[in-house]
Amino acid sequence: MTERILVTGGAGYIGSHTILTLLNAGYEVVVLDNLCNSSQESLLRVEQICGKSAWFIQGDIRDRELLDDLFSTQQIDSVLHFAGLKAVGESVKQPLDYYDNNVSGSLTLCQAMACAEVFRLVFSSSATVYGEPTHMPISEDFPTGVPTNPYGRSKLMVEELLKDLAHSDPRWSIALLRYFNPIGAHPSGLMGEDPNGLPNNLLPYVSQVAIGKLPQLAVFGADYPTPDGTGIRDYIHVVDLAEGHLKALQAISHKNGVNTWNLGTGTGYSVLEMIRAFEKASEKPVPFKIVDRRLGDIAECWADPSKAELELGWKTERGLQEMMSDTWRWQLLNPQGYATKRY
Ligand code: NAD
Ligand code: WQD
């Protein structure tokens, strides 16, 4: 029988790409999203690409009544839980919103799942839970560290909550997926990242500079102990990330308890390398100036992804230039993001 997956936050950047992967793999998908940081247009684009559609419910994961109604009317087999707020700077200014959405929201979701006896959950965690490790690459057995902001702490809290839950009841099968730095877009140019206002993350910012929407990039620090002095990260193509979710979902259908997997490439690139690679893909200059370090940033962060390869049979397939050219195609075809009229 076809499995039906509830995807919370499915209209967002990573969720929408994952839904495409799920539909292509033959799953049925129900989306719950309050659209606070996304547009339903992303789901129409999914349908345009694969000819199949997900069932959309506009609503909030903190709404217990809605969740109970959803679980009692839909036969849900597993939940992919993307819903949450993710802007690090905003989390410092509005911590309560972050703990409410990310922690209370996850708690309410788990309560409703337990009540409906749905025990399979894939959670969107983040490499931020490692804090500032002393060496690279980061493997899953590294201790979790001290995240430098409420966003990061909210992710760590949910991880702890989920571990306690699985410990209390062996029926739970939970995947904690620690993403490194997701970038890129679907190769069709129809789906991609559509940040609200000024982008917080490097790639969307670089892309808007290249197209002329923003005048120049501020490079946050060139005095890190890295080869060129700028910060190093493990950037992962969003389509590879989506495929990692499919593999994790399949794995937890026959693995109980909590399993943690890093989803990264295993290779780090500096900010200056990213700028050069984007200039090459876009054939546009990306003017930048070096400014002070951004508070809370670490020098370097990249994954040891071998556990996911061994246990999930998953590894990334898309390289840096592909991440850049897919981002650029999305940017060119959708200068207003999902508000751009479809062609
Ligand atoms: P996104 O903002 O594009 O997607 C999140 C979605 O959740 C949005 O569609 C938003 O409308 C929805 N949402 C937020 N609060 C909700 C609520 N209370 N009820 C229902 N829907 C709600 O973000 P994304 O980049 O796709 O990230 C998805 C998940 O992955 C998030 O949990 C994020 O913290 C995590 N993550 C993201 C990154 C990254 O760099 N993008 C890295 C690590 C982890
Ligand atoms: C990458 C590099 C910056 C912007 C954040 C969250 C993390 C996860 C992913 C959600 C760093 C530099 C950036 C700019 C710059 N998010 N930079 N100028 O900080 O690694 O991770 O997003 O879960 O939790 O912390 O990603 O894209 O912001 O930065 O120089 O305008 O680019 O200093 O070295 P980060 P990022």
Side-chain angles (χ1 to χ4, degrees):
M1 212 179 76
T2 313
E3 280 189 43
R4 187 175 295 162
I5 316 297
L6 171 65
V7 181
T8 74
Y13 173 47
I14 305 169
S16 57
H17 284 82
T18 304
I19 288 171
L20 180 61
T21 301
L22 291 174
L23 291 172
N24 280 332
Y27 290 88
E28 287 179 7
V29 175
V30 177
V31 179
L32 175 66
D33 198 304
N34 65 5
L35 301 181
C36 71
N37 195 39
S38 55
S39 143
Q40 210 182 325
E41 177 66 21
S42 63
L43 300 175
L44 299 176
R45 303 282 179 102
V46 167
E47 191 176 342
Q48 191 181 346
I49 294 169
C50 73
K52 298 178 193 172
S53 56
W55 180 264
F56 178 71
I57 299 168
Q58 184 167 354
D60 201 293
I61 53 165
R62 293 164 295 179
D63 184 343
R64 177 66 195 271
E65 220 174 293
L66 183 150
L67 288 174
D68 287 343
D69 186 51
L70 192 161
F71 283 116
S72 63
T73 53
Q74 305 266 358
Q75 183 62 48
I76 301 292
D77 296 289
S78 309
V79 178
L80 296 194
H81 176 32
F82 296 94
L85 303 178
K86 63 161 182 177
V88 169
E90 185 183 69
S91 80
V92 175
K93 294 191 189 107
Q94 302 166 27
L96 296 182
D97 289 345
Y98 277 69
Y99 292 120
D100 187 28
N101 262 278
N102 297 3
V103 183
S104 298
S106 300
L107 184 67
T108 306
L109 175 67
C110 289
Q111 286 167 333
M113 286 177 69
C115 208
E117 302 202 338
V118 177
F119 292 110
R120 263 184 249 150
L121 175 70
V122 177
F123 174 61
S124 298
S125 189
S126 167
T128 193
V129 300
Y130 292 112
E132 193 165 3
T134 50
H135 59 280
M136 295 291 137
I138 303 173
S139 52
E140 292 83 350
D141 55 5
F142 276 32
T144 51
V146 183
T148 51
N149 53 73
Y151 165 75
R153 279 190 280 279
S154 75
K155 288 287 165 191
L156 190 52
M157 283 180 191
V158 176
E159 282 204 1
E160 297 300 323
L161 179 162
L162 294 175
K163 285 178 191 164
D164 287 340
L165 183 59
H167 184 70
S168 73
D169 184 339
R171 288 176 296 177
W172 283 92
S173 304
I174 297 175
L176 306 178
L177 300 184
R178 293 178 176 160
Y179 312 159
F180 282 66
N181 288 60
I183 61 168
H186 189 265
S188 62
L190 286 170
M191 298 168 62
E193 188 169 7
D194 184 15
N196 250 334
L198 209 59
N200 299 302
N201 296 110
L202 179 65
L203 238 278
Y205 207 106
V206 165
S207 171
Q208 293 194 14
V209 170
I211 206 165
K213 258 174 122 174
L214 294 169
Q216 68 176 359
L217 172 77
V219 173
F220 298 141
D223 57 351
Y224 283 107
T226 60
D228 67 20
T230 64
I232 293 181
R233 297 290 184 275
D234 184 337
Y235 297 93
I236 173 174
H237 196 298
V238 66
V239 176
D240 278 327
L241 189 62
E243 287 168 1
H245 286 74
L246 176 62
K247 297 288 190 178
L249 183 66
Q250 290 164 346
I252 63 167
S253 66
H254 48 80
K255 252 177 187 284
N256 278 21
V258 173
N259 283 279
T260 304
W261 290 292
N262 282 342
L263 297 184
T265 67
T267 304
Y269 291 103
S270 74
V271 177
L272 296 183
E273 285 174 317
M274 295 297 282
I275 295 172
R276 272 182 231 114
F278 202 87
E279 287 181 327
K280 190 170 159 201
S282 64
E283 299 179 334
K284 299 277 180 201
V286 177
F288 68 88
K289 71 166 178 211
I290 309 238
V291 302
D292 287 345
R293 293 180 182 191
R294 182 172 64 180
L295 209 66
D297 272 359
I298 59 177
E300 51 185 15
C301 176
W302 72 90
D304 173 351
S306 55
K307 184 170 184 269
E309 183 172 359
L310 189 74
E311 296 179 0
L312 303 178
W314 170 90
K315 67 179 169 54
T316 59
E317 285 168 2
R318 293 157 183 86
L320 186 63
Q321 276 320 130
E322 202 169 339
M323 301 186 212
M324 299 308 191
S325 48
D326 288 341
T327 304
W328 184 237
R329 189 176 307 108
W330 156 254
Q331 176 74 68
L332 279 179
L333 293 175
N334 302 273
Q336 312 306 325
Y338 285 117
T340 309
K341 219 172 142 35
R342 260 185 295 166
Y343 47 88

